[in-house]
Amino acid sequence: MSEYEWDRTTRAVVASALAGDSDGAVELLRPLPQRDVCHIAVRLAAMAADALISAAQDTGGDRADALSQWQRSILRHEAEHDGGQGPDAP
């Protein structure tokens, strides 16, 4: 898959997510080789990071503030789900 196709599929996955169609997003990715899905996942992560940095900058913050907010979000998520324990925890 070319870089253009990775970008095209990434945008289609985002459009599906914005439309609330996670099953549609899955179907876009299902037939692809793992290598292509990995490239698309990295592109999605980069887009999310850019959005988080932009949101932090809109409130007078910077990249460090965006990272700090993201880390707090991860900790909250872990605390809310199994007290930070994974599904295989004793």
Side-chain angles (χ1 to χ4, degrees), residues 5-7 13 17 19 22 25 33 38 46 50-52 83 88:
E5 287 297 322
W6 287 331
D7 287 341
V13 168
S22 60
C38 290
D50 285 344
L52 291 168
D88 298 326

Side-chain angles (χ1 to χ4, degrees), residues 14-15 26 72 76 79-80 84 88 90:
V14 170
V26 168
R72 285 192 304 272
R76 272 193 311 276
E80 292 170 0
D88 298 326

Side-chain angles (χ1 to χ4, degrees), residues 11-88:
R11 293 175 197 284
V13 168
V14 170
S16 293
L18 288 170
D21 184 10
S22 60
D23 290 336
V26 168
E27 291 307 314
L28 288 167
L29 298 172
R30 187 182 310 279
L32 301 178
Q34 182 179 1
R35 177 180 181 271
D36 291 334
V37 173
C38 290
H39 278 281
I40 292 165
V42 169
R43 281 172 158 66
L44 289 167
M47 292 170 74
D50 285 344
L52 291 168
I53 292 167
S54 291
Q57 289 172 338
D58 287 347
T59 60
D62 59 12
R63 179 180 292 269
D65 294 319
L67 177 58
S68 176
Q69 290 174 359
W70 186 247
Q71 289 169 330
R72 285 192 304 272
S73 172
I74 292 168
L75 293 174
R76 272 193 311 276
H77 182 268
E78 293 298 316
E80 292 170 0
H81 293 86
D82 300 324
Q85 303 282 327
D88 298 326

